[in-house]
Amino acid sequence: MGTDATLAERERAPDEINARARAVGLLHEAGVPFVVGGAYAYATYTGIYRDTKDLDLFPRKPDAIRALDVLEKDGWRTERPDEVWLYKAYKGDYFVDFIFSSGNGVATVDDEWFTHDKKATIFGYECLIAPAEEMIWSKAFVTERERYDGADINHLILKAGREMDWDRILRRFDRYWEVLLSHLMMFRFAYPSERDIVPNYVMTELMSRTLQTVRDGSWEERLCRGNLVSKVNYHVDIHHWGFGDGRAWDEQDRPEGGTRGARSELEDSAGGSR
């Protein structure tokens, strides 16, 4: 990892890079809309390059299905390992990930990923790059023992935060605002001289919500929402310690934006007020 652009491909065989380029080219020719994410988008915003084992493309889910069809016709082997968020296409040992949501189903790729995108040249093609706001929204829920995307979020804020739409970020996190606050507190810890990158009204809003939850006290429902940010680390809590399944609860409640459980209205608020 570093600022040398060759780090992104130095450890990769030419055939692998060619496979990635071919996938991008075929999808462009077929008119399948997607934005580029992962290491390539991260480098676009931060100038930090790193070796990556795959190419992450973010389409809407119907377009992910179209993308698989396009690549299958070119001889790629395709898989649908998780209908919530991920499809894959393989050219021999090399592969492309089609990511249409976060692993917990929260950060779904929708029209706004394309409305607020930027452009960069990837493998010789002018591509749409995932918005920094949506990258943070997606990465914020990755807190496994073997992978934690907090440093990526910190670098995105550091390099792109002054131009980001913080009202949209607050709206994106909505009922998951505590996850956003946890990352912003880590950013303040990592970069105490750069705290003003995050607008004061954002921190004031989130801290006021926190204070309100202190006043309200605990929920009546004994629930563990930890499995919204980690698939494995809260297994014991739910399967042995008697906590309710927070992800299942959230999935049931999410489409309606309801208010199950005893909690403050602020905890359901989309925020954004100054």
Side-chain angles (χ1 to χ4, degrees):
M1 180 186 297
T3 57
D4 180 356
T6 65
L7 290 170
E9 299 176 356
R10 183 182 297 170
E11 302 299 323
R12 299 291 140 183
D15 285 349
E16 182 170 8
I17 301 305
N18 291 338
R20 296 176 187 178
R22 182 163 183 79
V24 170
L26 288 169
L27 296 175
H28 267 283
E29 292 172 8
V32 178
F34 63 86
V35 297
V36 177
Y40 290 96
Y42 181 66
T44 299
Y45 288 106
T46 67
I48 298 173
Y49 298 87
R50 61 190 177 203
D51 178 51
T52 180
K53 68 182 186 305
D54 60 9
L55 171 65
D56 290 338
L57 304 181
F58 287 70
R60 303 173 190 87
K61 187 173 184 179
D63 294 320
I65 297 172
R66 290 179 58 198
L68 295 189
D69 290 340
V70 168
L71 295 186
E72 282 177 357
K73 291 176 182 177
D74 189 56
W76 295 60
R77 176 173 60 86
T78 63
E79 293 182 356
R80 301 186 184 186
D82 195 322
E83 291 294 337
V84 171
W85 70 286
L86 176 67
Y87 295 160
K88 288 177 172 286
Y90 293 84
K91 190 72 166 178
D93 294 330
Y94 313 129
F95 64 98
V96 176
D97 282 344
F98 294 99
I99 302 169
F100 42 87
S101 186
S102 53
N104 58 12
V106 171
T108 300
V109 177
D110 57 20
D111 291 349
E112 286 193 83
W113 287 70
F114 297 83
T115 302
H116 303 290
D117 54 40
K118 65 182 300 182
K119 294 181 180 179
T121 301
I122 307 293
F123 304 119
Y125 296 91
E126 186 178 71
C127 293
L128 304 180
I129 302 298
E133 293 88 343
E134 276 66 30
M135 289 182 68
I136 289 172
W137 182 36
S138 178
K139 285 177 172 292
F141 297 99
V142 183
T143 64
E144 300 289 355
R145 290 185 65 185
E146 71 280 3
R147 178 174 171 182
Y148 171 64
D149 280 359
D152 283 3
I153 292 171
N154 282 346
H155 287 132
L156 286 167
I157 295 172
L158 180 67
K159 292 299 185 178
R162 296 191 189 278
E163 290 75 44
M164 289 196 304
D165 183 344
W166 286 96
D167 287 335
R168 190 163 96 248
I169 291 176
L170 283 169
R171 174 169 54 81
R172 284 300 204 187
F173 277 89
D174 191 21
R175 61 196 284 159
Y176 315 100
W177 62 268
E178 289 147 312
V179 177
L180 172 61
L181 177 58
S182 72
H183 286 287
L184 295 184
M185 293 302 293
M186 186 59 73
F187 176 80
R188 292 169 67 84
F189 174 80
Y191 300 106
S193 64
E194 311 300 322
R195 289 173 177 170
D196 65 334
I197 290 178
V198 179
N200 287 339
Y201 80 88
V202 173
M203 296 304 302
T204 300
E205 169 70 18
L206 296 176
M207 295 304 291
S208 69
R209 297 187 196 186
T210 302
L211 182 59
Q212 186 61 50
T213 65
V214 172
R215 296 188 183 115
D216 290 346
S218 299
W219 294 14
E220 294 175 0
E221 189 170 358
R222 195 164 186 259
L223 195 67
C224 175
R225 292 185 291 175
N227 60 347
L228 280 161
V229 295
S230 171
K231 292 181 67 174
V232 299
N233 288 330
Y234 297 93
H235 184 274
V236 169
D237 308 67
I238 294 167
H239 295 278
H240 298 279
W241 290 350
F243 284 89
D245 185 330
R247 175 169 172 174
W249 168 88
D250 188 73
E251 289 173 348
Q252 179 179 347
D253 200 43
R254 191 185 304 156
E256 301 173 355
T259 54
R260 294 184 57 195
R263 62 189 179 203
S264 163
E265 290 182 1
L266 279 174
E267 293 188 70
D268 267 335
S269 171
S273 60
R274 296 179 187 266

